[in-house]
Amino acid sequence: MIENLATGFEVVFTIQNLTFILLGCVIGTLVGVIPGIGPTASIAIVLPLTFSLEPVTGIMMLAGIYYGSQYGGSTTAILLNTPGENSSVMTCIDGNQMAKKGRPGIAIAAAAIGSFIAGVLMVIAIAFLSPLLSEVAFKFGPAEFALLMLFGLVSVIVFTDQDLLKGIVISLIGVSIGMIGADVNSGINRFTFDISELIDKISFVVVAIGLFAVPEIIKNLQHPESMTRFLSKFKIVPNKDEFRRIIPASLRGTFIGGILGLIPGGGITTASYAAYAFDKKMSKHKEEFGKGAIEGVAAPESANNAAAQSGFIPLLSLGIPENAVMALMLSSLMIFGITPGPLMIETQPELFWGLVISMLVGNFILLILNFPLIHIWVQVLRVPYRMLYPLILFFCCIGIFVTNTNIHELYILAAVSIFGYLLYVFDLSPVTFILGFVLGNMFEENFRRALSISQGDFSIFYSSTVSLIILFLIFLLIFVQFFRKRLLS
Amino acid sequence: MFGSFLTFLSLDYSYGSLENMGPGFFPRWLGIIIFLSGCFLFLKNFLVETKVEISMREPLTVISSMMLIPIGYNYIGMIVLSISLIFLSTSCIKNFPLKEKFVLISIATVTLILIKLFFLPNLKL
């Protein structure tokens, strides 16, 4: 373990890597602070620019954007009562109340300290759990991997709170679109209609930008928000009593976020809701919740950062992305020629341990960026959205063109953007589509391989203990979703 | 519709067998499942009245401003196309200050020049 950590420190502490970790954290905080720009869209836009970097450097920067956005999202939640990210919704409740009572700085400090505690503890968890999980994963065969991917798809459908059947249909459409291009096993081009641009499969970056970035712009143009603003200077250092309340709430939030973050689709937003509700029950100051309780800020913020980072555990150890951002990370690793999974920790130790240590360094950087330097981010909030969205659109188009110098991909981007907008209009989740798009090919490959090994016998999918456990979890999820809907109706 | 289309297209590829699946096996069954699910959803929601409001202005403006670049790239340089993108995309907002448009155009132009210098020397400005 010590040798591995030393490898990680050696990888991280170079001028180039430290610069890009800092850049990722700054971009992430900026993305989190500005409402209307999410980490998924931002990572999709920045992704093409990382192709000229070393894989380790690129991934560190992208990871920095992701967990950095969790830190930044609390700033607008507290100051403007508008969550910078979905995961900061709960922070609005007590954070904005604290701001109205003249304590915005203390609220921001609680969010920053909570996120920092969660970040550091989750880095330790990743360092211990990922290698353990990858040891278990060596017992997985193609059948187990196929079932695991199916579990990932089903849990995302269940947890994104849409009609189960609609979610299944959208996810299967995503799987179908992912099949366009050369078939992995036979090499035959499927559904390309003799269009050469489709032979190499539709670019994941195009799909991610078309589903997330562009519809977000359209949505924000249709529904501009009006905000009350707390943009003057304020005190930021909590006193002893406030620290005594922040620390236990942060530890509880970290635990809840860390567990929920491991479940595909369970995610960051669910973790922040659960942490808030749990802390409300456990707190000695229950009556303050909803009126400016400091625990009401620390708990959900630590939970969302913990969930964001624990999502790396299934990605790095099993190669399973549990949300759209992890799917982006998976795709970027594959573009770099690295296949995340049980073998990655052994074959690419500098990447794995470098990423783990970069998260530790990143959390320290973010504490400084979001605590003493918070007044700089407050100034960013003065930039109106109308100045940002044309640039975002410009960077989306140029980013895609620069990646493959293929201008025709912009036609595909336009088509995917229309589809993404329709998903938003009909209240369907693009996350299920994109996970179907990413996991579909992997599922098909493992499914075909498993049946080839068993010579067409389906019992391979329920003959081992691991596959039975995964099947049980899949049916449990479907049952819970069905039962929950019956109860609500 | 999508499901039946997918199933129809997959008929062009070999089906194979369970132990040796061809490229058409998986998409065919996928298409059938999507088709059946779609039929069920259609029947389930047939009598349910829903109103979906789609405002066309913003999506049309944003998508068409993106389409300017692939349509015009072979004829005009990227700077003119980016300027057109900014002007068209900002038409969504009434009374968008001209000064701010020029700031955006400057940022876009500088970015394109940097891309040509450091990443893509063949970029047509």
Side-chain angles (χ1 to χ4, degrees), chain B residues 79-95:
Chain B
I79 290 178
V80 174
L81 290 170
S82 302
I83 293 171
S84 313
L85 181 152
I86 288 167
F87 268 93
L88 185 53
S89 61
T90 53
S91 63
C92 274
I93 293 179
K94 284 181 192 167
N95 304 321

Side-chain angles (χ1 to χ4, degrees), chain A residues 244-310:
Chain A
R244 264 194 226 115
R245 290 173 66 175
I246 290 170
I247 308 287
S250 302
L251 291 171
R252 288 190 289 266
T254 302
F255 179 73
I256 291 170
I259 301 287
L260 286 175
L262 289 172
I263 303 170
I268 305 169
T269 310
T270 313
S272 66
Y273 289 151
Y276 184 88
F278 184 76
D279 235 72
K280 198 173 172 185
K281 277 204 169 142
M282 299 300 292
S283 174
K284 291 175 195 167
H285 307 275
K286 286 188 189 49
E287 69 290 349
E288 286 183 38
F289 274 75
K291 296 172 194 163
I294 204 166
E295 293 91 339
V297 174
E301 282 300 314
S302 52
N304 73 26
N305 201 28
Q309 296 195 34
S310 72

Side-chain angles (χ1 to χ4, degrees), chain A residues 365-382:
Chain A
I365 291 172
L366 285 161
L367 185 68
I368 296 167
L369 284 176
N370 284 275
F371 198 178
L373 299 183
I374 189 61
H375 295 294
I376 297 174
W377 302 112
V378 169
Q379 301 310 314
V380 171
L381 288 170
R382 295 182 193 279

Side-chain angles (χ1 to χ4, degrees), chain A residues 163 165 169 179 189-191 222 386-387 389 391 394 398 401 405 414 425 444 447-448 451-452 455, chain B residues 13 18-19 21 23 26 30 37 40 44 52 55 58 65 67 82 89-90 93 96 100 104 115 120 123:
Chain A
D163 185 73
L165 193 55
V169 169
M179 286 192 298
N189 296 330
R190 291 190 293 192
F191 314 120
Q222 289 177 332
R386 65 171 185 266
M387 285 291 285
Y389 82 86
L391 283 178
F394 167 76
I398 295 302
F401 178 62
T405 59
V425 164
E444 186 190 359
F447 185 76
R448 281 163 86 165
L451 282 176
S452 175
Q455 294 182 330
Chain B
Y13 309 105
L18 265 179
E19 61 185 75
M21 282 188 220
F26 202 70
L30 200 58
S37 309
F40 183 77
K44 189 178 154 196
V52 174
S55 165
E58 291 84 6
S65 61
M67 292 285 281
S82 302
S89 61
T90 53
I93 293 179
F96 195 109
E100 289 178 4
L104 293 171
I115 289 173
L120 272 185
L123 179 68

Side-chain angles (χ1 to χ4, degrees), chain A residues 180-440:
Chain A
I180 295 173
D183 175 39
V184 172
N185 287 19
S186 61
I188 290 172
N189 296 330
R190 291 190 293 192
F191 314 120
T192 54
F193 306 105
D194 294 327
I195 300 170
S196 55
E197 283 83 9
L198 296 179
I199 292 172
D200 276 335
K201 299 207 174 282
I202 295 178
S203 164
F204 177 79
V205 175
V206 170
V207 173
I209 291 177
L211 283 184
F212 293 98
V214 180
E216 212 166 288
I217 291 172
I218 299 171
K219 194 171 47 170
N220 291 327
L221 285 173
Q222 289 177 332
H223 303 285
E225 308 287 316
S226 62
M227 307 166 196
T228 51
R229 296 172 177 251
F230 291 96
L231 298 179
S232 49
K233 290 220 166 214
F234 39 72
K235 176 182 163 242
I236 58 170
V237 181
N239 59 34
K240 256 192 213 168
D241 283 333
E242 285 160 345
F243 262 113
R244 264 194 226 115
R245 290 173 66 175
I246 290 170
I247 308 287
S250 302
L251 291 171
R252 288 190 289 266
T254 302
F255 179 73
I256 291 170
I259 301 287
L260 286 175
L262 289 172
I263 303 170
I268 305 169
T269 310
T270 313
S272 66
Y273 289 151
Y276 184 88
F278 184 76
D279 235 72
K280 198 173 172 185
K281 277 204 169 142
M282 299 300 292
S283 174
K284 291 175 195 167
H285 307 275
K286 286 188 189 49
E287 69 290 349
E288 286 183 38
F289 274 75
K291 296 172 194 163
I294 204 166
E295 293 91 339
V297 174
E301 282 300 314
S302 52
N304 73 26
N305 201 28
Q309 296 195 34
S310 72
F312 281 93
I313 296 174
L315 175 72
L316 297 174
S317 52
L318 301 173
I320 307 289
E322 53 143 48
N323 55 39
V325 172
M326 290 303 137
L328 276 163
M329 296 291 182
L330 173 71
S331 296
S332 68
L333 281 167
M334 291 173 81
I335 290 167
F336 286 130
I338 297 162
T339 311
L343 286 176
M344 195 191 86
I345 298 174
E346 280 188 16
T347 57
Q348 305 267 351
E350 64 288 335
L351 177 73
F352 176 78
W353 294 105
L355 182 60
V356 169
I357 300 300
S358 76
M359 287 186 198
L360 190 64
V361 171
N363 276 288
F364 277 99
I365 291 172
L366 285 161
L367 185 68
I368 296 167
L369 284 176
N370 284 275
F371 198 178
L373 299 183
I374 189 61
H375 295 294
I376 297 174
W377 302 112
V378 169
Q379 301 310 314
V380 171
L381 288 170
R382 295 182 193 279
V383 178
Y385 185 72
R386 65 171 185 266
M387 285 291 285
L388 296 172
Y389 82 86
L391 283 178
I392 295 170
L393 208 54
F394 167 76
F395 281 117
C396 287
C397 296
I398 295 302
I400 285 168
F401 178 62
V402 164
T403 313
N404 292 325
T405 59
N406 183 356
I407 205 79
H408 298 106
E409 283 197 327
L410 292 175
Y411 289 118
I412 302 173
L413 174 66
V416 175
S417 301
I418 293 168
F419 179 70
Y421 176 65
L422 289 172
L423 288 180
Y424 155 67
V425 164
F426 291 106
D427 203 24
L428 297 166
S429 170
V431 179
T432 45
F433 178 92
I434 207 157
L435 275 165
F437 180 81
V438 170
L439 291 177

